[in-house]
Amino acid sequence: MSDDAPSDAERKMQFLFQLRQKGVTDARVLTAMEEIDRGAFVRGHFAARAYDDMPLPINAGQTISQPSVVGLMTQALNVQPRDTVLEIGTGSGYQAAILSHLARRVYTIDRHRNLTRDAELAFTKLGLANITVLTGDGSYGLPDQGPFDRILLTAAAEDPPGPLLKQLKPGGIMVLPVGQSDNVQMLIKVTRTESGLDYDELMPVRFVPLMEGIARD
Ligand code: SAH
């Protein structure tokens, strides 16, 4: 390594600086993102780019989201320490790991068994004991474990899936990208109020589509 190469500490400072610059200002979210090593969720030579603010490829043709998007989604979810959170789309497990620092318990589902298996190994290695990882079609949620205080989708649906809306507690918040997979999607926030559901548009995003059924690999 040359003397000019940034140290890990410098990389991390730059990472946090970029997050703040892109609007991630919640202190608890920033602390969680400082503490969880994104490198633990990225394989092979891409690990060197773990602290760059860019999405990266993971197994099964999926991607680990851009850190600033993870930060902004987590911030919008406004997770409280006693919350039970459901995440649809485990992917690498990075987002679930961030949530595990903010919530009491996290359930995360992916339709690819090899992704849930790797994510589970990473959680064990990092000692994150409050995450339950499941393989399945997350569109149906987890009726037996719900209802949930917070629900986060990291794959894009055309509309918020009905079963997930049903599993959102009163006062609960769900954040998800909606729209066609090949178009610009909108990140929205759905809040269950006493009188029904409130919808807020947050920002344009691009995620892989929410697919039906369990993957065969
Ligand atoms: N949150 C992840 C990134 C998610 S990428 C991270 O932090 O790395 C989107 C993921 O959604 C993919 O892994 C894909 O397999 C998963 N997915 C797509 N449709 C799904 C469905 N119906 N149920 C569960 N997972 C799904």
Side-chain angles (χ1 to χ4, degrees):
M1 196 165 78
S2 84
D3 288 346
D4 297 341
S7 67
D8 284 356
E10 281 167 340
R11 267 202 204 106
K12 203 145 202 184
M13 257 176 59
Q14 179 65 21
F15 176 74
L16 292 168
F17 176 77
Q18 278 185 26
L19 291 175
R20 279 198 208 92
Q21 214 179 25
K22 297 210 170 138
V24 184
T25 50
D26 183 304
R28 292 182 64 232
V29 174
L30 286 167
T31 303
M33 294 188 76
E34 185 175 0
E35 286 172 357
I36 300 287
D37 177 13
R38 189 169 181 250
F41 298 93
V42 182
R43 310 252 168 275
H45 63 280
F46 288 112
R49 318 228 56 173
Y51 284 100
D52 291 354
D53 192 25
M54 50 161 50
L56 293 171
I58 54 173
N59 284 342
Q62 305 299 321
T63 48
I64 176 170
S65 313
Q66 187 176 351
S68 54
V69 173
V70 170
L72 290 169
M73 285 177 97
T74 310
Q75 188 165 281
L77 204 59
N78 191 21
V79 180
Q80 301 301 309
R82 299 177 62 84
D83 284 352
T84 300
V85 182
L86 172 64
E87 182 202 22
I88 313 301
T90 312
S92 67
Y94 178 62
Q95 171 75 71
I98 306 285
L99 293 170
S100 82
H101 267 221
L102 301 169
R104 188 171 59 82
R105 171 142 292 279
V106 177
Y107 291 90
T108 182
I109 315 180
D110 205 287
R111 58 190 292 279
H112 283 280
R113 204 175 297 282
N114 53 358
L115 291 178
T116 52
R117 191 193 50 221
D118 285 356
E120 191 148 31
L121 287 174
F123 299 148
T124 306
K125 218 165 158 185
L126 296 178
L128 303 175
N130 62 341
I131 310 178
T132 305
V133 194
L134 296 143
T135 307
D137 183 345
S139 316
Y140 300 100
L142 293 174
D144 293 347
Q145 281 82 0
F148 299 96
D149 301 289
R150 301 290 185 262
I151 300 178
L152 179 64
L153 278 85
T154 60
E158 284 188 29
D159 293 301
L164 296 180
L165 289 173
K166 278 210 192 95
Q167 290 168 40
L168 193 59
K169 274 190 195 169
I173 297 174
M174 171 155 119
V175 170
L176 74 158
V178 288
Q180 308 276 329
S181 58
D182 43 359
N183 282 325
V184 172
Q185 304 145 2
M186 186 54 76
L187 190 69
I188 66 164
K189 172 173 160 175
V190 185
T191 310
R192 181 174 287 290
T193 65
E194 274 172 26
S195 52
L197 296 166
D198 271 1
Y199 293 82
D200 291 308
E201 290 193 350
L202 303 178
M203 60 176 182
V205 284
R206 196 168 183 141
F207 278 85
V208 300
L210 191 70
M211 310 268 284
E212 271 182 36
I214 297 185
R216 264 191 257 135
D217 54 20

